[in-house]
Amino acid sequence: MTALKVAVVSAGLSKPSSTRLLADRLAESTVRRLGLEGREVEVAVVELRDLAVDIANNFVTGFPAAALRGAIGTVTGADAVIAVTPIFTASYSGLFKSFFDLIDHDALTGKPVLIAATGGTPRHSLALEHAVRPLFSYLRAVVLPTAVYAATDDWGTAGDALTDGLPGRIDRAAGELAALLAGRAPAAEAAVPEQVVPFAEQLAALRV
C-alpha cells in the first residue's frame, strides 16, 4: 500500500520556534494515529522561514526559485496539509499568507487541512476562525473541525484526549485528520475526475 503523504507548513520565524514545535507535535500524533490503522506516512516539512527571500522575489519576478518550487510541489502533491502560523496583529503572519498566495487556487481543492497557530496570549485564538479557516475555505480545502491554538502558557499545562489542554487538543485534531486519511486513497492512487457533461448537451438530452 502506498504511503500517505502529509505536508507540514510551519511559518515560525525564530529558531527554535514554538510554531515548528506545535507543527511537529501535530505531525507526530497524526503519524501515530495512522500507524494504529496500519497506514504508513511520509511527512515532509516546509519551513517558510528558509524560503522568505524566495517568496518575496517570486512576487517581483513572477518566477519561483527551485527551493520554493519544490516546497509548493510538496504541499500540492500531499494527501493532507498541517498548516501552522504564528499570530501577528490578530491574524496569520504575512509570510504564511504570501506562501499560500503563490499556490494555484485549485491546487488544494478537497485536500484535508489541519490548521493551527501559536501566540503570546489566548486572546488571539479566534484568529484561527476569522482569518486562517476562511483562507483555506476560499481555497476549497477540507478544513478539519478542530483548530489548535497554543499560547505561551499552554506549553506548561498537562492534558489528555479528554481535556481541553494543549496535548488533548493536539490529539483530537490529529485523530480527525487520521480518520479522514484512513478512508482516503493516496495522491498517487487518486481516482480519475468525473467527466463533466456540458450544460447544452444536458438540455438536448431532456428534449428527446
Side-chain angles (χ1 to χ4, degrees):
M1 185 179 292
T2 306
L4 291 161
K5 299 174 183 177
V6 175
V8 178
V9 179
S10 171
L13 298 179
S14 59
K15 219 170 191 179
S17 161
S18 61
T19 301
R20 174 61 187 272
L21 178 59
L22 179 57
D24 288 344
R25 294 270 182 90
L26 287 164
E28 289 164 5
S29 186
T30 301
V31 170
R32 178 176 55 80
R33 288 294 198 103
L34 284 167
L36 296 175
E37 302 268 355
R39 299 305 302 268
E40 183 181 350
V41 185
E42 293 178 1
V43 175
V45 178
V46 175
E47 190 73 74
L48 297 187
R49 177 181 182 274
D50 299 333
L51 298 169
V53 174
D54 287 347
I55 291 171
N57 285 338
N58 194 149
F59 280 106
V60 176
T61 66
F63 297 99
L68 177 57
R69 187 165 57 251
I72 292 173
T74 294
V75 172
T76 58
D79 294 292
V81 177
I82 296 173
V84 191
T85 177
I87 298 301
F88 296 143
T89 321
S91 189
Y92 38 60
S93 75
L95 182 60
F96 183 84
K97 178 62 161 57
S98 295
F99 175 74
F100 284 101
D101 279 345
L102 297 179
I103 292 179
D104 185 272
H105 287 178
D106 296 323
L108 299 184
T109 299
K111 196 181 298 292
V113 177
L114 191 169
I115 58 172
T118 57
T121 115
R123 290 179 300 169
H124 297 304
S125 61
L126 285 178
L128 277 165
E129 301 303 326
H130 70 64
V132 184
R133 189 179 296 277
L135 168 64
F136 289 103
S137 294
Y138 173 78
L139 295 173
R140 297 195 291 278
V142 178
V143 190
L144 296 178
T146 298
V148 180
Y149 181 81
T152 301
D153 291 344
D154 285 328
W155 295 104
T157 61
D160 55 40
L162 300 178
T163 74
D164 285 332
L166 180 58
R169 297 197 300 274
I170 289 173
D171 197 53
R172 183 165 64 249
E176 291 172 359
L177 181 57
L180 193 56
L181 285 174
R184 174 183 168 87
E189 302 174 359
V192 176
E194 183 180 351
Q195 294 296 320
V196 177
V197 179
F199 184 63
E201 291 184 21
Q202 295 182 47
L203 282 178
L206 290 174
R207 296 193 187 102
V208 176

